[in-house]
Amino acid sequence: MFRKSLGLLLCGVLLSGAAGGTNSALAGPFAEGSKSAAADITKDGAIRQVGRAGAVSQKNAATTADPVPQIIKEVSPSVVGIIGKNTESRNSGPDDRYNLTHGSGIIVKADGWIITNAHVMQGLQNAVVVTADAKTYNITASYLDEVSDLALIKINAKSLKPAKFAGVKSAIQVGEKVIAIGTPVSFSLRNSATVGVVSGINRTVESSYRLIQSDTAINPGNSGGPLVSMKGEVLGVNSLKYAAVGVENMGFSIPIDTVQYIIGQLFKYGEVKRPSLGLELEESWSAIVGLPAQDPLTVTKVVSPEAQKAGIAAGDVLYAIDGHRVASLVDINEWFKSYKPGTAVKLLMQSGGDIVNRKLVLSQGDPLIGGEEAGGDEDAGAQADE
């Protein structure tokens, strides 16, 4: 759906047909008049390699070979397509056989566990998974976490090839080459690959956790597929893209540390047991517009009994948690990955004009939601593809 203003597009796709074409070009000029040319012409006109130059040329070709095709070949068996009936679509008619939604997924375990996006699975009925070898499986179990936009699903399969995931402390550098693999636009385009570079890290765009930004082509249907490094390791799960006239190649992926955190929770509990301050907090104007400021957050509502017991009131200002400065809701969510409900924390706050320390026992519940949405414009936001 075209939009006049800048918006975020969830990269699941509603199928309505696809068209494509191919272009090719051949070019291979020979260097002329060079004494060091590694070729000679025989009397019958044939071209032959002569001397050491030919061996050096072959060695250089092997050394500079592009690793991308081999990486795609190795990772593609770990990428699946997911398709099912779209029950949330407003497009209905006498024949809704084509009222389908699809996305992508990454094999986590050989016995059929797969990670994908929550928005791929929401409202999806009679869903099936298609592996790279064109085998089809029904989904037997699914666990969704809408906050992180991740889902864990299960199929009855054996001997699948799990993807190789990067370590949670792997350093990602802006400018490093990455590959996105998935099922863009049409389900017939399964295991398509695009190449780009990391454009930015620690991005916060309509998400509860920080994201990786890249300029790989991430189109509707790529949701749930992997963002892969030149080591063949999954760096993140593709999730969002900016969609607007004049905006190009701005895709976002959920980084591997968040993926591993959510997977661990879903495997252990079947849900994500998040710690909560029991407060509703409002970000500063600087945080909302993205300025590099460290302004504190303001308490707009005290929700939990634990927060009331700690003596926190609406209008108080939060600076730090256990000595860690927080300036946004995402800061808190990221910091709380290492905490559990029931843990006691120390809050540095301002109350009635005084700087005070509050001791608070974390409750369990939904993460914090700010009082204002960034962007103001009702047309700017996360939009499911329609």
Side-chain angles (χ1 to χ4, degrees), residues 12 26 73 91 108 120 134 176 186 192 209 214 319 341 378:
L26 298 176
K73 182 179 180 180
N91 301 322
V108 176
V120 170
E176 71 172 272
S186 169
S192 293
Y209 296 96
S214 74
Y319 286 94
E378 63 180 4

Side-chain angles (χ1 to χ4, degrees), residues 10-17 81-91 96-104 116-130 139 183-188 190 220-223 384-386:
L10 297 173
C11 295
V13 64
L14 175 63
L15 295 183
S16 59
I82 303 168
I83 190 169
K85 190 175 181 62
N86 180 25
T87 61
E88 295 184 350
S89 173
R90 294 188 296 268
N91 301 322
D96 62 352
R97 291 176 296 168
Y98 303 107
N99 184 20
L100 303 172
T101 297
H102 79 262
S104 308
T116 184
N117 282 137
H119 76 258
V120 170
M121 299 304 300
Q122 285 172 332
L124 204 63
Q125 290 187 349
N126 303 321
V128 296
V129 170
V130 179
I139 297 174
T183 310
V185 183
S186 169
F187 203 68
S188 63
R190 296 186 305 278
N222 275 115
S223 278
D385 187 64
E386 295 179 312

Side-chain angles (χ1 to χ4, degrees), residues 201-254:
I201 56 177
N202 295 327
R203 301 304 199 200
T204 55
V205 284
E206 306 243 348
S207 62
S208 297
Y209 296 96
R210 301 192 184 281
L211 303 176
I212 302 168
Q213 178 189 345
S214 74
D215 70 349
T216 51
I218 297 177
N219 294 297
N222 275 115
S223 278
L227 187 73
V228 184
S229 72
M230 289 299 100
K231 295 180 180 180
E233 298 175 337
V234 176
L235 297 174
V237 175
N238 301 323
S239 180
L240 295 168
K241 65 175 289 186
Y242 267 110
V245 175
V247 178
E248 297 179 358
N249 298 341
M250 292 186 68
F252 297 89
S253 308
I254 303 167

Side-chain angles (χ1 to χ4, degrees), residues 38-74:
D40 193 16
I41 301 178
T42 63
K43 293 181 180 179
D44 59 1
I47 298 176
R48 68 166 183 255
Q49 293 292 131
V50 295
R52 184 173 177 276
V56 172
S57 177
Q58 292 176 3
K59 182 179 179 179
N60 289 342
T63 303
T64 60
D66 190 348
V68 171
Q70 183 60 32
I71 293 172
I72 294 172
K73 182 179 180 180
E74 291 177 358

